[in-house]
Amino acid sequence: MKIYKALASIILLGLSNCGNNSDQVTTEKQIPEKIYPEISEIVVCNTYWDNIEQIREMEPETVLKQPETAKFLIVFRPDIPDIDSIESMRAYGPNNYQLEFSLQPYSRQTLNGHSSDLGNYIMYQAYDTRGFLENGEYRLEVVYKNGQVSSKSKVLASDLSIVEKYLSMNKEFQPVGETAIDFNEPTRLKWSMPQGGQYYAVTRLKHFIPNEPFYENILYWNNAFYMRGDAGLMMSELEIPRGIIKPDTKYVWFTEILDSNHLPEVNTAIFLPFQTFWSAR
């Protein structure tokens, strides 16, 4: 990902003119100054992958071997550091816990690395695939090559009862597969939500492009993290406005169930299976 576009200006200090004066041309390159921004936001949460078999089918070499994992996320915005300026990024936690962030692009194989071009922000995420984290204080730290350090901490308070409720319930999804779609009306995506708590849902719709991350090229989603309030609370369907769904096109949608719609306060997340559909002829 290009973090900066180099700026170059050519300054003509001498102009061609008649007579005995010689031409003077000086070229000066302006190199953008490196910045070392503070971390904007972090996420520390336990994550359950109910789509693990789909992930392993798409990426047989993935490090994901069990559905129980932990997620760490570091966000920079609006100031984005040059990746080459970073020495290391790590997570620290109870009982000498430590996890290293990769400075390479994120992939489903490694489940660790930085996002591609997202405009005015960049995120680094790393999954610990050994299982759920224990509750307690975790610190995410960025060390720059100039010696500067930025860190943020969070006390993880993950209630795994949401996972137990989800696994014990009957699950239904619509639409799935070949579907009769009325293109003059909105299309509704529907899923099952666990009951007996205050849970939030975030659903994203994309064109079906194998192995493309779900944070890229989203067609439509309920960005509950931005809307806040009660956005996404106990939500079990998302209305896609008329005109977004097109004939002869395959789509994929994906829902996360979370215990908060404020990203830094998420302690537990469930990744539901990917659902694909297309219009019946």
Side-chain angles (χ1 to χ4, degrees):
M1 164 185 173
K2 291 184 178 179
I3 303 300
Y4 301 102
K5 293 180 180 178
L7 302 176
S9 67
I10 300 177
I11 303 173
L12 301 181
L13 299 179
L15 300 177
S16 251
N17 47 61
C18 298
N20 295 326
N21 294 333
S22 60
D23 295 344
Q24 282 186 313
V25 179
T26 301
T27 301
E28 179 180 302
K29 291 184 179 179
Q30 295 181 347
I31 301 174
E33 183 180 354
K34 287 185 182 294
I35 58 174
Y36 305 91
E38 298 291 324
I39 296 170
S40 303
E41 290 179 308
I42 66 169
V43 173
V44 180
C45 70
N46 285 320
T47 50
Y48 184 89
W49 299 64
D50 197 30
N51 56 2
I52 182 171
E53 295 305 324
Q54 294 170 313
I55 296 292
R56 294 175 69 177
E57 181 178 348
M58 289 185 287
E59 181 49 75
E61 300 303 317
T62 182
V63 297
L64 185 63
K65 304 303 180 185
Q66 61 183 23
E68 301 88 356
T69 71
K71 177 176 182 174
F72 297 95
L73 180 71
I74 293 176
V75 179
F76 292 98
R77 75 174 88 192
D79 295 327
I80 298 174
D82 188 328
I83 294 174
D84 292 337
S85 70
I86 299 173
E87 180 70 33
S88 64
M89 304 177 75
R90 293 186 179 91
Y92 298 94
N95 298 315
N96 298 315
Y97 179 90
Q98 185 171 320
L99 185 73
E100 186 94 14
F101 282 77
S102 170
L103 301 181
Q104 300 301 312
Y106 179 88
S107 73
R108 285 197 177 122
Q109 180 177 350
T110 64
L111 301 183
N112 196 338
H114 64 79
S115 60
S116 55
D117 192 352
L118 297 174
N120 66 341
Y121 73 98
I122 189 172
M123 58 185 185
Y124 289 79
Q125 55 184 331
Y127 285 91
D128 187 338
T129 59
R130 296 171 293 182
F132 292 143
L133 296 174
E134 65 175 292
N135 287 333
E137 185 173 3
Y138 291 81
R139 176 170 54 89
L140 275 57
E141 180 182 88
V142 177
V143 178
Y144 291 102
K145 292 179 179 177
N146 71 343
Q148 183 176 329
V149 177
S150 177
S151 67
K152 275 187 178 293
S153 297
K154 172 187 173 173
V155 176
L156 177 67
S158 179
D159 181 356
L160 297 175
S161 65
I162 182 178
V163 177
E164 297 169 2
K165 293 173 184 176
Y166 172 79
L167 293 176
S168 64
M169 72 183 192
N170 294 324
K171 305 170 191 65
E172 296 182 2
F173 301 91
Q174 295 179 359
V176 177
E178 189 175 51
T179 303
I181 295 174
D182 184 349
F183 297 102
N184 295 316
E185 297 292 334
T187 300
R188 294 182 180 276
L189 310 181
K190 299 181 180 182
W191 59 92
S192 302
M193 282 287 287
Q195 301 300 305
Q198 298 288 295
Y199 308 131
Y200 299 81
V202 174
T203 296
R204 300 169 177 85
L205 172 74
K206 293 167 46 72
H207 288 117
F208 179 78
I209 301 175
N211 291 324
E212 184 178 67
F214 251 92
Y215 52 76
E216 294 181 5
N217 301 316
I218 299 171
L219 290 174
Y220 193 81
W221 67 309
N222 68 310
N223 187 354
F225 303 124
Y226 174 78
M227 296 181 283
R228 300 286 297 280
D230 290 338
L233 179 62
M234 299 307 290
M235 184 176 179
S236 59
E237 65 176 59
L238 177 64
E239 182 178 291
I240 307 300
R242 183 180 63 182
I244 292 181
I245 304 298
K246 306 292 186 183
D248 303 317
T249 306
K250 192 172 185 179
Y251 298 91
V252 57
W253 58 281
F254 163 70
T255 298
E256 295 179 72
I257 297 176
L258 313 137
D259 61 351
S260 176
N261 65 357
H262 184 202
L263 196 59
E265 295 177 3
V266 172
N267 289 291
T268 312
I270 303 171
F271 300 158
L272 276 57
F274 303 126
Q275 307 298 327
T276 58
F277 71 96
W278 58 94
S279 61
R281 291 183 177 274

